[in-house]
Amino acid sequence: YHQSIEKYEKAVALNPKSSPIFSNWGLAIYELARLKKNEDLCLQSIEKHEKATALDPKNGSAFYNYGLAVYELARLKNDEDLYKQSIEKHKKATDLNPTDYHAFLSWGLSITELARLKKDENLYRLGFDKYEKSTILNPKYTLAFVNWGVAIANLALQKNDEILYQKSFDKYKKSIDLLKTTHVHKTSK
């Protein structure tokens, strides 16, 4: 990550008005922040994404990456306001690129983490809608089914609801079935 970050720093020196360079630089810092669980690195990543989105307010990928960095900081600080900011960034990313299934997944994660903190069933349901949209856009996106299952299980725990637990198991099973299918196709080639 450090080498990648250094290369982006040099690239920005050559092209200081490039939104994609700032966004990718921020993404590299975000990955390191996530690995190290480091709030200062999250803030550095956010700073790069702020610059990227200021340079190009129509760069959906930059807003998606921005949302990831804010989400990570929210997770580290357990901060409702930061989750709300992450939600805003992911909404903007999906407004700009309505077929970005990764952004819908991340939007769902931000919403359901906020729901978990606030113990808000309506927020959970809104997050479930984003997971569903992600799986409609990419029906083989196993990560969306896994995270959807985790979110349903969190709501099930909150409500002590056996039916919701079963629904979460169904999402996990779907992801496992997709992984088996993917593995069979890859090994049979």
Side-chain angles (χ1 to χ4, degrees), residues 8-23 25 48 51-52 54-56:
Y8 283 118
E9 192 170 357
K10 289 177 183 176
V12 163
L14 295 171
N15 191 353
K17 298 208 184 274
S18 172
S19 175
I21 292 173
F22 272 100
S23 182
W25 186 9
K48 303 306 180 236
K51 181 74 173 172
L55 286 168
D56 182 0

Side-chain angles (χ1 to χ4, degrees), residues 61-73:
S61 294
F63 278 100
Y64 165 68
N65 293 337
Y66 194 169
L68 291 175
V70 175
Y71 170 83
E72 184 62 18
L73 185 59

Side-chain angles (χ1 to χ4, degrees), residues 76-175:
L76 292 171
K77 295 180 98 159
N78 216 29
D79 186 303
E80 288 183 20
D81 290 332
L82 288 169
Y83 280 118
K84 289 174 186 174
Q85 289 176 38
S86 177
I87 290 165
E88 290 170 16
K89 302 308 175 206
H90 286 113
K91 180 184 183 322
K92 180 73 173 177
T94 60
D95 287 346
L96 292 168
N97 186 356
T99 61
D100 186 348
Y101 59 91
H102 294 104
F104 278 99
L105 167 65
S106 295
W107 191 6
L109 275 169
S110 296
I111 293 169
T112 56
E113 280 302 301
L114 180 60
R116 184 185 55 77
L117 280 179
K118 294 180 78 160
K119 297 186 181 343
D120 184 328
E121 184 173 348
N122 291 326
L123 276 175
Y124 272 111
R125 303 275 176 210
L126 182 61
F128 299 162
D129 290 345
K130 306 311 172 204
Y131 292 127
E132 182 177 26
K133 179 68 174 179
S134 181
T135 62
I136 289 168
L137 291 168
N138 182 351
K140 295 182 180 182
Y141 193 27
T142 58
L143 194 55
F145 286 103
V146 169
N147 284 288
W148 193 356
V150 168
I152 294 170
N154 285 339
L155 179 59
L157 179 64
Q158 177 185 311
K159 293 182 67 168
N160 195 25
D161 186 323
E162 200 172 311
I163 293 170
L164 283 173
Y165 277 118
Q166 185 56 54
K167 289 181 179 183
S168 74
F169 298 150
D170 292 344
K171 299 301 178 204
Y172 299 142
K173 183 178 181 325
K174 176 69 175 176
S175 69

